[in-house]
């Protein structure tokens, strides 16, 4: 039990070190937020998470190393809240990403994405006008569409070669028109209307060969972003589960260190129960 203080102190020191790059990343994003609106979505969560981990780690480190009961109590309370928030976020992430996936299209390796396949809080958030403009800024600055172009032996990609590519959800939804619109491939981000009737999909009239517009106003682009978010959130949820398990283990060790501190504050010898002190078996001079 005595080793628990040293162990919790070491764990919190390592956690403190890990909080430094998280906080630094948030500050870096904050300094660049005036250039890219989408970065504003990321800066404050990173800063808050970094500062919280840093403060909690310091409290746990000091409480364990100096046997400070108040700091250990504070550490235990905050750690319990962090674990509870993580559990809530994991459940929330799976609930809001439960619906929606790409559709397979004949003679295409990539999937097509439709906004009507998605619903709930995340879909309303992404599709709202107040957020979509910032998300489009993210997509443009990521150069996802600009990086689609490839050459084979110095020759541009042919339509048949493009059709067997596995595109990302954002590339499929934002960088080309939907397949059911009947556009004819010229290159990865330039398509011209076909000779037949254009499909009834509203996105057919939203497509533009302007490289600053493309299909960024399309519902398929919003669906592609939702599909990408779903994939990312599921990955984050897996990481959060692992982090939660580690935090639970640290919490148990911290609680053991806290009880050890209480015993030492009450002058209880290690391993000696309070009842044994109250009722000694023999009288010693």
């Amino acid at each position: 039990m005595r080793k628990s203080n040293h162990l919790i102190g070491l764990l919190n020191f390592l956690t403190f070190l890990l909080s430094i790059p998280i906080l630094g990343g948030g500050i870096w994003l904050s300094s660049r937020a005036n250039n890219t609106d989408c970065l504003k979505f990321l800066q404050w969560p990173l800063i808050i998470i970094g500062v919280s981990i840093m403060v909690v780690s310091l409290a746990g480190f000091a409480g364990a190393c100096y046997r400070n009961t108040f700091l250990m109590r504070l550490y235990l309370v905050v750690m319990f809240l962090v674990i509870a928030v993580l559990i809530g976020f994991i459940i929330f992430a799976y609930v809001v990403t439960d619906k929606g996936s790409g559709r397979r299209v004949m003679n295409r390796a990539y999937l097509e994405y439709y906004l009507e396949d998605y619903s709930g809080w995340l879909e309303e958030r992404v599709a709202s006008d107040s957020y979509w403009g910032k998300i489009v800024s993210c997509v443009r600055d990521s150069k996802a569409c600009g990086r689609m172009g490839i050459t084979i032996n110095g020759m541009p990609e042919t339509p048949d070669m493009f059709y067997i590519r596995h595109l990302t959800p954002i590339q499929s939804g934002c960088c080309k028109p939907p397949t059911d619109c009947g556009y004819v491939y010229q290159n990865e981000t330039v398509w011209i209307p076909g000779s037949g009737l254009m499909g009834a999909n509203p996105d057919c009239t939203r497509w533009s060969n302007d490289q600053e517009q493309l299909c960024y106003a399309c519902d398929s682009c919003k669906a592609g972003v939702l599909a990408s978010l779903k994939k990312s959130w599921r990955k984050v949820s897996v990481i959060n589960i692992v982090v939660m398990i580690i935090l639970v283990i640290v919490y148990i060790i911290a609680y053991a260190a806290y009880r050890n501190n209480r015993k030492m504050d009450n002058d209880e010898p290690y391993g000696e129960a309070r009842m044994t002190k109250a009722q000694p078996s023999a009288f010693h001079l």
Side-chain angles (χ1 to χ4, degrees):
M1 183 73 76
R2 285 174 178 171
K3 294 181 179 179
S4 61
N5 276 327
H6 301 290
L7 182 56
I8 193 64
L10 176 61
L11 289 174
N12 280 281
F13 179 71
L14 295 176
T15 306
F16 173 82
L17 295 179
L18 289 175
S19 70
I20 295 176
I22 296 176
L23 181 59
I27 296 174
W28 178 79
L29 288 176
S30 178
S31 67
R32 290 174 55 87
N34 57 344
N35 296 328
T36 309
D37 287 340
C38 64
L39 293 176
K40 294 180 180 179
F41 291 146
L42 305 175
Q43 60 175 356
W44 288 114
L46 280 177
I47 292 175
I48 293 172
I49 290 172
V51 172
S52 299
I53 294 176
M54 185 174 291
V55 172
V56 173
S57 300
L58 286 174
F61 181 78
C65 293
Y66 296 101
R67 303 198 309 275
N68 187 301
T69 303
F70 171 76
L71 289 178
M72 286 303 298
R73 284 179 180 175
L74 177 64
Y75 176 81
L76 290 172
V77 171
V78 176
M79 181 67 78
F80 178 81
L81 293 176
V82 170
I83 294 173
V85 169
L86 270 178
I87 294 175
F89 178 78
I90 292 169
I91 296 174
F92 174 77
Y94 274 97
V95 169
V96 300
T97 59
D98 182 55
K99 296 181 180 180
S101 60
R103 299 183 189 178
R104 294 197 174 277
V105 181
M106 185 178 298
N107 300 323
R108 302 290 189 273
Y110 49 79
L111 302 178
E112 295 280 338
Y113 298 88
Y114 294 85
L115 189 60
E116 58 263 28
D117 293 340
Y118 298 84
S119 62
W121 177 88
L122 189 60
E123 184 271 336
E124 294 175 358
R125 191 84 165 177
V126 170
S128 66
D129 294 336
S130 59
Y131 279 91
W132 183 243
K134 299 176 182 180
I135 295 173
V136 167
S137 176
C138 282
V139 176
R140 285 198 184 100
D141 291 339
S142 70
K143 307 298 182 183
C145 297
R147 292 197 301 266
M148 287 179 62
I150 61 175
T151 57
I152 308 297
N153 296 325
M155 299 296 295
E157 189 176 29
T158 64
D160 291 336
M161 295 169 62
F162 179 80
Y163 296 151
I164 61 174
R165 286 180 61 178
H166 295 277
L167 304 178
T168 67
I170 289 179
Q171 289 175 335
S172 177
C174 304
C175 305
K176 66 170 190 60
T179 300
D180 57 10
C181 293
Y183 279 86
V184 178
Y185 174 93
Q186 300 298 301
N187 63 40
E188 291 82 357
T189 57
V190 175
W191 300 68
I192 60 175
S195 57
L197 294 176
M198 187 172 292
N201 190 334
D203 287 345
C204 297
T205 58
R206 295 169 181 161
W207 166 258
S208 172
N209 284 324
D210 183 346
Q211 298 302 296
E212 291 297 318
Q213 300 298 325
L214 298 179
C215 217
Y216 294 140
C218 300
D219 287 343
S220 63
C221 189
K222 298 176 182 179
V225 170
L226 285 167
S228 181
L229 287 174
K230 177 179 179 178
K231 184 177 180 180
S232 299
W233 277 37
R234 289 296 176 91
K235 289 181 179 180
V236 170
S237 294
V238 172
I239 296 174
N240 283 336
I241 291 173
V242 175
V243 171
M244 183 189 66
I245 294 173
I246 295 174
L247 288 180
V248 169
I249 296 173
V250 172
Y251 187 85
I252 293 173
I253 298 173
Y255 182 73
Y258 171 73
R259 293 195 62 181
N260 187 28
N261 292 342
R262 290 291 299 274
K263 288 182 179 181
M264 296 180 71
D265 290 341
N266 294 329
D267 296 325
E268 293 183 19
Y270 173 74
E272 184 175 355
R274 189 179 298 275
M275 187 63 70
T276 304
K277 290 180 65 185
Q279 297 180 358
S281 58
F283 180 76
H284 300 282
L285 293 176

